[in-house]
Each structure stands twice: as structure tokens, then as C-alpha cells.
Amino acid sequence: MSLSDQLAERLLSAIIDGTHAPGSALPPEGELAEQYVVSRLTVREAIKALRVQNIVRIQRGRGTYVNPPAQWTALDPLIRAAAATPRSSAAISEGLIEARRLIEIGAVELAAGKRTDDDLAQLRILLQDMRDAVDTDDVELFVEADIAFHDAIMRASGNAFIPLMFEPFGRLLVEGRRETSAVAEIRANALAHHTEILRALEAADPTAARQAMADHMAQTADDLRTHVLADS
């Protein structure tokens, strides 16, 4: 990475951790150059990189201001921000569920027509892992099996692009699932919906598969609002 790229990364980290909150101004160019022991040119290039992603905006005569994450136009910084503050990022958390709904409902519909016996066998194993995790109150096992279940569906769709489309969300999904799956009621809800999804896939019924996944996404959004965001 160039010096300017390294500085942009450090500034982004400072924005994500709250050192420079949304709406606040970054320190002046000279102050940043002194703080990070770089040239003013390096600072300008770093700010330019953040501006391209709409992480910051420049107000002529006033300075450089931090935009809220919902206005950022690059996926990786947005995911990092949401993963760092899952409870306070209601819009981002709900936005992730909306994105999942768009991708996963279509994926499960395809999977209902293309899944193989091996796909079903893998899904049954993962569903059993989820049941075992519920019985033993093992949150980490539940999260691992839950995410793997959805990944298996996307791969069972037979479309190589679908898993790749969702790959960038992996880190955020893990963090979010750890938080929500710590609630026993949410684990029970998820297990029931995953059971219905598998049943539809076993029946090779695209319509039922779509409905089962849609119901799961709706329940996930409701659980998030009821048990997580309401407490933040």
C-alpha cells in the first residue's frame, strides 16, 4: 500500500471507532500531516480516496466532514462500520436483511429445482447441528451451522455468481448472528424456519421454498427489532 492508502486506512479506522464521528470535521490538513508524520500531499491523497467513497465530503472554506455510513458508496467500509457497531447501526442492520431477502429468496427458489441428493444431505447435517446447538445452548455452533446452511443453499442454486455476490457480507453476518443467536427465542425461531426451508427443498417445490425463505427473513427482521435494536 502507498503511504496515502495507509493513511486513508488509518483515517477510516478512526472514523469507524468514533474518533471522528459522522457530521464532525476532520482535523486540518497540517494537523493530520503532523499527527501521522506524513506530507501534506499524502494527506490530500488520503482524503481524496475517502471522498471518492463518499466517506467524507469537503465543504469549501470550512473543512472536511465525515458522512454517516448510510451515505458511503463502498461496500467494505460500510460492512466494517456495521460490524463494529451492530447495535447502533439500525439502518445498516435492517438494510442487510433487505439485501439478504433479495438474494436468498431467489437463490432458494433456484435451489429447489437444482439441488442434488448431496446438497440435501449436507443441509440435513447442518440442520441437525443447529438442533444440537439449541439443546446444548452452544451459540457458536449454532452460528456456524446457521451460516453454513444458507451458504449451502446458495451453492445448491447451481449459479456460481450467487455465493460470490454474498461473500462480502460474511464478516457482518457472523457478528450479527453472534448477537442475535445469543437469544434463545431467536434460536428457536430460526430452527423452525430452517426446518421449513429444508422441507420445501426436499419436496423440490420452488414456490414453497420462496415462501419459507421469505417467512424466515421476515422473522429475522422482527427478531432484530424486538430483541436487539430495541435494547440499544
Side-chain angles (χ1 to χ4, degrees), residues 25 42 55 79 84-86 110 114 124 143 149 182 186 188 197-198 202:
T42 297
I55 295 169
I79 289 175
T85 55
L110 287 174
K114 297 183 179 181
R124 291 183 188 113
V143 169
F149 187 96
I186 292 180
I197 291 169
L198 178 54
E202 289 172 331

Side-chain angles (χ1 to χ4, degrees), residues 108 149 153 193-201 212-213 216:
V108 79
F149 187 96
I153 289 174
H193 283 286
H194 283 73
T195 301
E196 289 303 313
I197 291 169
L198 178 54
R199 184 174 292 122
L201 291 173
M213 185 64 78
H216 175 40

Side-chain angles (χ1 to χ4, degrees), residues 9-22 24 26 35-36 55 66 69 72 77 80-85 88:
E9 175 66 22
R10 294 178 71 181
L11 289 173
L12 175 60
S13 295
I15 290 169
I16 290 173
D17 70 20
T19 301
H20 306 301
S24 68
L26 292 181
Q35 178 182 347
Y36 291 100
I55 295 169
V66 178
W72 299 358
R80 286 175 55 187
T85 55
S88 62

Side-chain angles (χ1 to χ4, degrees), residues 204-223:
D205 186 335
T207 301
R210 280 185 64 90
Q211 188 60 57
M213 185 64 78
D215 291 343
H216 175 40
M217 292 294 104
Q219 183 67 62
T220 299
D222 184 64
D223 284 340

Side-chain angles (χ1 to χ4, degrees), residues 62-77:
R62 297 186 60 191
T64 301
Y65 288 79
V66 178
N67 288 325
Q71 295 180 11
W72 299 358
T73 56
L75 183 59
D76 185 65

Side-chain angles (χ1 to χ4, degrees), residues 95-108:
L96 174 61
I97 292 176
E98 291 174 352
R100 288 183 59 199
R101 183 182 290 114
L102 289 173
I103 296 174
E104 295 199 56
I105 291 176
V108 79

